[in-house]
Amino acid sequence: MTPNSTYKFSFLLLFAVMIVLFLLNISLGSVSIPFTAVVNILTGGDGGNENWAYILMHYRLPKAFTAILAGSSLALSGLLMQTLFRNPLAGPFVLGISSGASLGVALLIMGTSLLPGIGTGIMTGSVAMAIAASLGSFVVLLCIFIMASRVRDTMALLIIGLMFGSLTAAIVSVLSYFSNMEQLQRYIFWSFGNLGDLSWSQVVIFIVIVFSGITISILCIKPLNGLLLGENYARSMGMNVKKVRYLIIIATSLLAGSVTAFAGPVAFIGLAVPHLSRQIFRTPDHRILMPAVLISGAILMLVCDTVAQLPFSAYSLPINAVTSLIGAPVVIWLLVRKRKLLF
Amino acid sequence: MAEKKLSEKILEVENLNTGYRTGKRTVSLHKDLRFELSRGELIAMVGPNGIGKSTLLRTLSGILPPLGGSIYLEDKRISEYTPLALAEKMSLVLTEQIPAKALKVKEVIALGRQPYTNWIGHLSKTDLSIIGRTIEQLGLEEIRELPCYELSDGQFQRVMIGRALAQDTGLIILDEPTTHLDIYHKAYILKLLKRIAHENNKCVLFSSHEIHLVNQLCDKVLVLQKDDYDFDQPCNLIEKGSYQKLFPGDLIDFDSNTGSFRIRN
């Protein structure tokens, strides 16, 4: 299981692709800015146009960073969940993180019609939505955490997570049924996902949370590799299964939870990227897979965001739709070509 | 010197009661088990379905708490070991499949070194040489680069035994290692286990239904009957008639000349 030179080459290549895509991402958008001006602004100049500099520094750059962070953390939490639940269909949201967030946001936007006491227009800004999403995820995760200490079987935890998803979806349906068109529209727009809403200070908070999630994940690399043989073997090799289960849940909550809070429930990346990485690197070893999914997740998200902003037009597409539109065919194509679902 | 090695006690079971609790109900399976296992011995555990072989194995490996009595592994109670310390003394080969069948043979065997590797699982020179030796001893050189989904049942079982061997423990416990294998590979695996027990001076304990093979190969056999047990060398067990009591006599009979069961006409 030693990383050899082929892995190093693949990593260098992936990293270069990520940098290129990053530059491409910030060069394209509804306002066309020449590439030379982009480079000039990035290196400290003003590119000859103050508006360009403003758009780049305060809209496109934070958005590109958000895309990288969101893609990386979703991909990593997907990998963690697939290994923990020994299930190739698991994604970052199997523990009910996104459904918890949806519930929080739905309550914030649409719950006001059920509780007429609270004024409507007060708390519907993007910050309020991020807080509501975090609170919702947190409550659902707390329930999952309490369950995790009661059930001995990790598979039961997977089903409990799915059940929480159904429960919250049902509550959201009830709320939608009783809410007006404007509220419904606002909720649906949130569920489309949005990478471009973050200020620099929010990006910094995002970075801090994501890096703590990554750090915990790195500390779990060895037990994660042990889990590839199943929990019983992992335990027989000296692993504290319960502790590791908690650590993995915490890391996933930080990673997927922060993305959901800052960018909405972004679908598909978390499920697809670990599979793409396994196809590229052809190993289940987490020492290779973990950096691989971090970079690949960022790459895929940058691609999706570049497409979503529909370069050279004034329109943009919902990111959540683009991730699936691009990601699903890629995974299908890879699986059909390789004929084997590696896990 | 050789004789001293043979009598090196590794596992001691005293007045052990096995069973398990489901909800408020306690199912008691065996009472007052007493036996000693030593290094250099190949020991089989036989008994009919549902008699409690798995429960006893799970109790001995520290997964299930005993309902009474004590288990000493190298003179220390098994419950007093930390998971990591236990992993350096005892390794397991289970009946379950592994989830990540894309793991290569050498990677599965390398995972056996987990109790000894650092926080990220880096393999030292010692680890690599033990892995290499294990692959050589089990004759896995040709398949070492293959992923597990390409292996036959017999090859896969050999790999899992290799993983346990790489864990370098005095005691190896295997749960029905020969199920799903044809008669040739059953014999192959059991011969391999015997070689491991004798050449590597390890205590190898396994559960099995192949009474005819077990009698030919094992140093000692633990026969689990309903509410009773026998623990002795195979020839003594045959003489004592321990196997006759294993099953109801309406369908099969134990033939003490061949050491196997025959269909009753």
Side-chain angles (χ1 to χ4, degrees):
Chain A
M1 282 189 149
T2 25
N4 54 35
S5 51
T6 38
Y7 288 138
K8 270 181 199 146
F9 177 72
S10 309
F11 275 124
L12 275 177
L13 196 69
L14 275 182
F15 197 75
V17 169
M18 187 178 85
I19 300 294
V20 170
L21 281 169
F22 177 80
L23 291 173
L24 188 72
N25 182 278
I26 56 172
S27 309
L28 295 173
S30 43
V31 176
S32 87
I33 305 176
F35 188 70
T36 46
V38 170
V39 174
N40 183 272
I41 294 167
L42 282 184
T43 49
D46 69 352
N49 184 328
E50 267 181 38
N51 287 341
W52 288 352
Y54 186 85
I55 291 173
L56 204 64
M57 296 310 288
H58 293 277
Y59 182 69
R60 289 192 189 172
L61 264 186
K63 185 160 69 73
F65 275 115
T66 308
I68 289 178
L69 288 171
S72 297
S73 23
L74 286 174
L76 178 55
S77 46
L79 176 68
L80 296 179
M81 289 295 98
Q82 286 175 7
T83 303
L84 179 67
F85 291 120
R86 315 185 278 286
N87 190 330
L89 282 177
F93 299 134
V94 287
L95 291 177
I97 291 169
S98 73
S99 43
S102 310
L103 183 63
V105 172
L107 279 173
L108 178 79
I109 298 175
M110 305 188 286
T112 42
S113 57
L114 296 180
L115 299 165
I118 305 168
T120 2
I122 309 171
M123 320 181 291
T124 42
S126 62
V127 177
M129 286 211 215
I131 293 171
S134 317
L135 279 178
S137 307
F138 181 73
V139 169
V140 170
L141 271 168
L142 200 67
C143 297
I144 299 279
F145 222 75
I146 293 165
M147 300 288 173
S149 61
R150 298 255 172 99
V151 298
R152 210 187 296 157
D153 187 7
T154 309
M155 282 308 144
L157 207 56
L158 178 66
I159 295 169
I160 290 170
L162 291 174
M163 290 302 112
F164 267 107
S166 305
L167 263 178
T168 50
I171 299 174
V172 171
S173 310
V174 172
L175 283 171
S176 323
Y177 188 75
F178 287 108
S179 62
N180 62 38
M181 216 160 67
E182 191 202 334
Q183 291 168 324
L184 203 56
Q185 197 183 29
R186 206 185 289 130
Y187 173 75
I188 287 172
F189 268 100
W190 174 81
S191 70
F192 282 158
N194 185 2
L195 299 172
D197 243 7
L198 269 63
S199 67
W200 276 114
S201 55
Q202 283 170 308
V203 171
V204 170
I205 299 173
F206 198 5
I207 289 179
V208 170
I209 300 175
V210 168
F211 271 85
S212 35
I214 293 177
T215 310
I216 297 174
S217 311
I218 289 173
L219 293 175
C220 286
I221 285 181
K222 182 175 165 183
L224 281 166
N225 279 339
L227 279 175
L228 292 175
L229 297 182
E231 279 182 21
N232 289 327
Y233 276 120
R235 195 179 287 116
S236 83
M237 294 187 298
M239 182 179 125
N240 186 338
V241 173
K242 230 172 189 172
K243 192 180 105 190
V244 168
R245 199 194 283 169
Y246 280 136
L247 281 176
I248 293 176
I249 293 177
I250 291 172
T252 306
S253 326
L254 289 172
L255 294 165
S258 61
V259 175
T260 315
F262 286 120
V266 180
F268 205 78
I269 302 276
L271 174 70
V273 172
H275 290 299
L276 296 176
S277 306
R278 283 188 201 104
Q279 299 287 358
I280 297 170
F281 287 89
R282 307 202 67 80
T283 173
D285 185 352
H286 290 82
R287 279 179 295 173
I288 305 296
L289 273 186
M290 213 174 264
V293 297
L294 286 174
I295 303 178
S296 316
I299 288 177
L300 194 57
M301 202 64 174
L302 282 170
V303 171
C304 291
D305 181 55
T306 312
V307 172
Q309 64 203 4
L310 287 178
F312 317 116
S313 81
Y315 299 99
S316 64
L317 296 175
I319 185 72
N320 216 342
V322 178
T323 50
S324 300
L325 278 175
I326 292 183
V330 171
V331 171
I332 292 173
W333 173 73
L334 261 175
L335 288 181
V336 171
R337 203 171 61 100
K338 304 262 185 184
R339 284 152 190 265
K340 192 91 206 171
L341 183 70
L342 285 178
F343 184 69
Chain B
M1 199 56 198
E3 257 174 40
K4 186 172 177 285
K5 267 192 174 175
L6 274 178
S7 60
E8 213 179 306
K9 180 179 80 186
I10 186 159
L11 191 81
E12 191 179 357
V13 169
E14 264 182 13
N15 308 331
L16 180 70
N17 299 343
T18 63
Y20 52 88
R21 294 188 177 90
T22 49
K24 283 174 187 166
R25 207 163 55 98
T26 303
V27 180
S28 174
L29 288 169
H30 285 96
K31 284 213 164 80
D32 236 5
L33 292 170
R34 273 160 204 270
F35 54 85
E36 266 183 37
L37 311 182
S38 303
R39 279 176 182 269
E41 285 182 339
L42 177 65
I43 299 137
M45 180 194 291
V46 298
N49 289 329
I51 202 75
K53 292 192 299 294
S54 290
T55 305
L56 179 54
L57 281 187
R58 287 164 68 86
T59 311
L60 292 180
S61 53
I63 299 171
L64 271 183
L67 296 183
S70 7
I71 306 162
Y72 295 94
L73 179 63
E74 296 195 347
D75 296 321
K76 188 173 156 186
R77 267 175 199 272
I78 209 156
S79 53
E80 288 170 11
Y81 280 93
T82 63
L84 195 60
L86 192 62
E88 293 179 8
K89 302 279 181 205
M90 173 166 70
S91 53
L92 304 180
V93 176
L94 306 165
T95 43
E96 62 188 46
Q97 288 290 323
I98 61 172
K101 291 284 241 174
L103 279 169
K104 289 182 185 138
V105 167
K106 58 168 188 185
E107 290 174 326
V108 172
I109 291 173
L111 281 173
R113 297 302 299 163
Q114 275 218 341
Y116 309 96
T117 53
N118 66 359
W119 68 275
I120 202 167
H122 176 75
L123 297 169
S124 69
K125 275 204 178 121
T126 326
D127 294 324
L128 288 172
S129 85
I130 288 173
I131 293 163
R133 225 165 43 222
T134 307
I135 289 176
E136 205 179 304
Q137 186 180 1
L138 300 202
L140 299 170
E141 293 97 333
E142 277 173 24
I143 56 168
R144 61 182 291 165
E145 299 291 336
L146 287 188
C148 285
Y149 59 74
E150 284 184 20
L151 304 180
S152 70
D153 286 345
Q155 287 173 325
F156 181 71
Q157 195 57 266
R158 235 156 76 206
V159 172
M160 294 318 284
I161 291 170
R163 191 211 58 82
L165 199 56
Q167 203 173 326
D168 196 19
T169 57
L171 175 63
I172 302 177
I173 295 181
L174 307 94
D175 191 6
E176 301 199 6
T178 57
T179 27
H180 303 307
L181 302 183
D182 61 49
I183 180 82
Y184 177 82
H185 286 95
K186 280 183 207 290
Y188 185 98
I189 293 289
L190 294 183
K191 285 276 253 191
L192 175 69
L193 292 178
K194 182 166 188 157
R195 232 175 69 212
I196 290 170
H198 291 188
E199 284 174 17
N200 300 37
N201 195 35
K202 292 183 184 300
C203 175
V204 179
L205 170 68
F206 68 100
S207 59
S208 179
H209 288 295
E210 326 308 331
I211 292 175
H212 53 297
L213 293 176
V214 155
N215 280 331
Q216 297 172 54
L217 277 165
C218 292
D219 299 300
K220 281 176 185 166
V221 180
L222 180 66
V223 186
L224 290 180
Q225 301 130 347
K226 181 115 188 63
D227 303 320
D228 199 9
Y229 75 100
D230 267 316
F231 181 59
D232 211 332
Q233 292 171 357
C235 49
N236 296 344
L237 290 169
I238 294 174
E239 238 168 71
K240 269 196 272 181
S242 300
Y243 295 113
Q244 267 87 348
K245 292 181 278 176
L246 269 185
F247 301 108
D250 55 339
L251 291 177
I252 47 173
D253 252 342
F254 187 75
D255 178 357
S256 35
N257 294 321
T258 59
S260 61
F261 281 91
R262 311 221 145 217
I263 302 276
R264 207 175 185 142
N265 294 316

